[in-house]
Amino acid sequence: MTVKDRKKWGLRILATITSLAVLLMYSVIPLAFAISDRGGRQVTSLDISKDVDQVSAPGYSATLTKTASASYLEIEQGGSAPVSFTISVNASQSNTYHISGDIFVQNTGEWPALVTAVSDTVWYKSGGPTWFPAATSVSTTVPSVIPVGGPHVYSYSGTFTLPVPLSSVTAMSNLIEITISNHPDGTHLFHYRLSFPKPAAAVSSAVLNDVETITPASGLSYAIDSVTVNGVPASLAGPWTLDLSRAPYTVVVNKTLHASAAGDYVLNNRAVLGDLSDEVDVIIHVPDDEEPELGAIEGLKTDSSMAPLAGVEIELWRDGELIATLFTAEDGSYRFEGLEAGHYEVREVVPEGWYAVSADSVHLELEAGATARADFVNERYSSISGNKWNDLNSNGLRDEGEPGLQGVLITLRGEGIEIHAVTAADGSYRFDGLMPGSYTVSETVPAGWAATTPASLSLFLFAGQRLSGIDFLNAQVEVGGIVVEPPQPPAIGLSGDGNAKSLPLTGFEQLPWLLAAALLTALGLAALLLGAMRRRNA
């Protein structure tokens, strides 16, 4: 290594040592300096004192509700009516108290005190010499380092909870404890206890007011008949002073209303307890002496068996104008009230799928103060449905696997009606919206097919009946260009439920067996003829 290189490495080593020295100067040396000086003197004591600026008991948390004996009253002119108001007051008090004050700390040593823990607790005595800790949540501003000199003042505040009534507490104290780490013996605890008087009990007295307002102000007045507080008579005028520590309270104010003029009034009654208030309104109607008596129109909506029909719309008309609409209740009833005398029309809105048995509109004359009635009866429409089947084996019965026939015309005839339907892809058809009565259902047999059941059926349809199973069966009669004479279909009767019943055919279903026998006979004759010819040639 050259001299020049050695100088470079020397400078590098010197710079590294200098950096380490600076680092040690700003880290390790201050720590050692804080623990001990060259003469061995260390922090040996703290002088701690404190005061209690404020200890306050919690107040009472109250609730207030007010109700009236009636929300609506009708009073004749010159008449009177009673009304009562009930005020309910409840209250509770927490056992959590607030405490705050100052801590005075003077460091009497030579070096700053390194604080590692601070606690501030409240203790109490109850009927004996032993101190008990209360649940405490107190925060302080004592720092992590207390400098030399002082005194230094720090504040604290928080809450504590007593597990016993305040009346049973005989003494109270506040304990501050400060732990430092740079004491000669290692960690050391300094503490200071300060006794303080019990906090005064919270004020429990509250004033209850009852404020009455009538709108409009004239034409209606009231008088207070009696007032009771928890069943005990009290001053009529109010306000009433309540001791919330003895809650709950029930205050009942009985009044009599006097009506001197016709009109509609609002009686507002408001209870006030400190910042709390609750109010209730009573609506009072005083009719005019010349005010007409009002009547009502009511009725029932049922089916023909008198079963109620709910949710049906009923309209009330007068002079060609719709004036009210409502829906029937669960029992089929409806009622229009507050109607003046005169001519009215009541209409029902017949639900879909139903028809009116009775008139769907009723005109009536309503007399003053009377109740008129208009009932409505509905019934469901009936229906007929069935299928057109491909009778593959021509037995007049619908067997498993036999498909429906699409596009076949079905005709329904009744008194004054003729309705047509075409069978769907599955062979089904349906006639809806039918009235009770006698009907004939017929099929139009397609070319190349023969009916294996009657092509026309007569039946009677009852109100609301859904008659199903009115089926028709056809079989193909053209095979290989040869038209086979179709057999005559048997008679078909209707059962008690109106469903068609088919009887089996005879003979026609034996055709496959007859053809097979004829084929076997022909084969046998051919065999005999061939044998005879061979013997002749031989």
Side-chain angles (χ1 to χ4, degrees):
M1 180 181 295
T2 64
V3 174
K4 185 177 181 179
D5 291 336
R6 284 196 297 270
K7 288 183 179 180
K8 287 182 179 179
W9 278 104
L11 291 174
R12 289 176 182 175
I13 294 173
L14 180 61
T16 301
I17 294 174
T18 303
S19 298
L20 290 175
V22 171
L23 178 64
L24 289 173
M25 181 175 63
Y26 282 98
S27 60
V28 177
I29 293 177
L31 178 61
F33 185 73
I35 294 175
S36 176
D37 69 351
R38 289 174 296 178
R41 294 188 300 274
Q42 296 181 351
V43 172
T44 57
S45 65
L46 295 177
D47 290 339
I48 303 174
S49 63
K50 67 185 305 183
D51 64 10
V52 177
D53 293 336
Q54 180 184 16
V55 181
S56 58
Y60 287 85
S61 176
T63 60
L64 175 68
T65 58
K66 186 162 193 176
T67 59
S69 58
S71 59
Y72 175 83
L73 292 173
E74 187 167 313
I75 309 173
E76 296 181 357
Q77 289 189 59
S80 301
V83 63
S84 63
F85 297 93
T86 301
I87 307 169
S88 299
V89 178
N90 207 341
S92 60
Q93 184 185 22
S94 171
N95 60 347
T96 299
Y97 297 78
H98 180 268
I99 186 171
S100 62
D102 294 318
I103 303 172
F104 304 93
V105 181
Q106 185 172 4
N107 186 350
T108 58
E110 297 292 333
W111 302 99
L114 300 183
V115 179
T116 57
V118 178
S119 67
D120 194 319
T121 56
V122 175
W123 296 72
Y124 70 94
K125 291 181 180 180
S126 179
T130 304
W131 287 100
F132 297 99
T136 311
S137 175
V138 179
S139 61
T140 69
T141 58
V142 175
S144 58
V145 175
I146 299 178
V148 177
H152 304 279
V153 182
Y154 309 103
S155 63
Y156 68 93
S157 66
T159 62
F160 64 91
T161 302
L162 293 175
V164 297
L166 182 64
S167 58
S168 66
V169 174
T170 56
M172 304 190 75
S173 65
N174 187 222
L175 176 65
I176 178 71
E177 295 181 314
I178 300 176
T179 303
I180 64 173
S181 61
N182 58 335
H183 190 271
D185 299 332
T187 300
H188 191 76
L189 176 67
F190 296 88
H191 64 269
Y192 178 80
R193 182 190 296 274
L194 174 66
S195 296
F196 62 89
K198 290 196 308 180
V203 176
S204 62
S205 178
V207 176
L208 175 65
N209 284 279
D210 196 39
V211 182
E212 195 88 69
T213 304
I214 299 177
T215 307
S218 61
L220 185 71
S221 60
Y222 70 91
I224 300 177
D225 300 325
S226 64
V227 176
T228 60
V229 177
N230 286 349
V232 178
S235 169
L236 297 182
W240 304 280
T241 300
L242 305 179
D243 184 357
L244 296 182
S245 65
R246 298 184 179 183
Y249 290 96
T250 300
V251 181
V252 179
V253 182
N254 297 300
K255 301 180 180 181
T256 298
L257 303 176
H258 302 282
S260 59
D264 292 305
Y265 302 87
V266 177
L267 174 64
N268 176 266
N269 193 271
R270 186 165 62 99
V272 180
L273 182 73
D275 296 334
L276 301 176
S277 67
D278 194 25
E279 59 186 342
V280 63
D281 286 342
V282 180
I283 307 301
I284 299 101
H285 175 65
V286 182
D288 196 310
D289 291 339
E290 298 180 359
E291 188 174 303
E293 293 185 78
L294 302 179
I297 297 176
E298 63 183 13
L300 287 175
K301 178 70 176 277
T302 64
D303 63 13
S304 55
S305 66
M306 296 304 295
L309 298 179
V312 179
E313 187 175 5
I314 306 294
E315 298 177 342
L316 183 64
W317 293 73
R318 188 173 189 184
D319 299 329
E321 180 183 355
L322 178 64
I323 61 174
T325 299
L326 49 74
F327 293 86
T328 55
E330 290 295 328
D331 60 356
S333 66
Y334 73 91
R335 182 179 175 86
F336 295 101
E337 295 182 327
L339 304 178
E340 297 181 356
H343 182 80
Y344 293 89
E345 180 187 4
V346 185
R347 301 178 189 176
E348 66 163 337
V349 179
V350 180
E352 185 177 356
W354 295 74
Y355 62 92
V357 175
S358 62
D360 60 0
S361 176
V362 177
H363 292 264
L364 47 84
E365 200 71 30
L366 182 63
E367 297 180 357
T371 298
R373 189 174 188 86
D375 296 332
F376 299 95
V377 181
N378 287 179
E379 190 54 79
R380 288 185 183 274
Y381 283 111
S382 302
S383 65
I384 298 173
S385 62
N387 284 76
K388 178 69 176 276
W389 302 108
N390 185 348
D391 194 357
L392 297 176
N393 57 10
S394 304
N395 66 351
L397 298 174
R398 198 266 166 160
D399 299 311
E400 184 177 356
E402 292 182 331
L405 290 178
Q406 180 181 10
V408 179
L409 182 65
I410 308 295
T411 303
L412 175 72
R413 294 181 176 88
E415 184 176 354
I417 67 168
E418 181 174 318
I419 308 174
H420 301 280
V422 177
T423 57
D426 61 353
S428 64
Y429 72 92
R430 184 181 184 88
F431 296 103
D432 287 310
L434 303 179
M435 302 289 288
S438 297
Y439 293 91
T440 299
V441 186
S442 305
E443 67 163 334
T444 300
V445 181
W449 295 79
T452 59
T453 59
S456 181
L457 296 173
S458 296
L459 49 87
F460 185 85
L461 199 59
F462 295 96
Q465 184 180 13
R466 289 170 170 76
L467 187 59
S468 60
I470 308 303
D471 296 344
F472 299 97
L473 280 76
N474 287 181
Q476 278 186 306
V477 296
E478 185 176 340
V479 179
I482 302 175
V483 177
V484 180
E485 187 68 24
Q488 295 297 319
I492 294 181
L494 290 178
S495 65
D497 60 1
N499 293 323
K501 303 298 182 181
S502 300
L503 299 177
L505 298 175
T506 58
F508 189 79
E509 72 273 19
Q510 305 298 327
L511 180 59
W513 298 103
L514 293 175
L515 293 175
L519 179 62
L520 290 174
T521 302
L523 291 174
L525 291 173
L528 291 174
L529 181 59
L530 180 62
M533 293 175 65
R534 286 179 178 177
R535 285 191 300 271
R536 179 182 299 179
N537 293 332

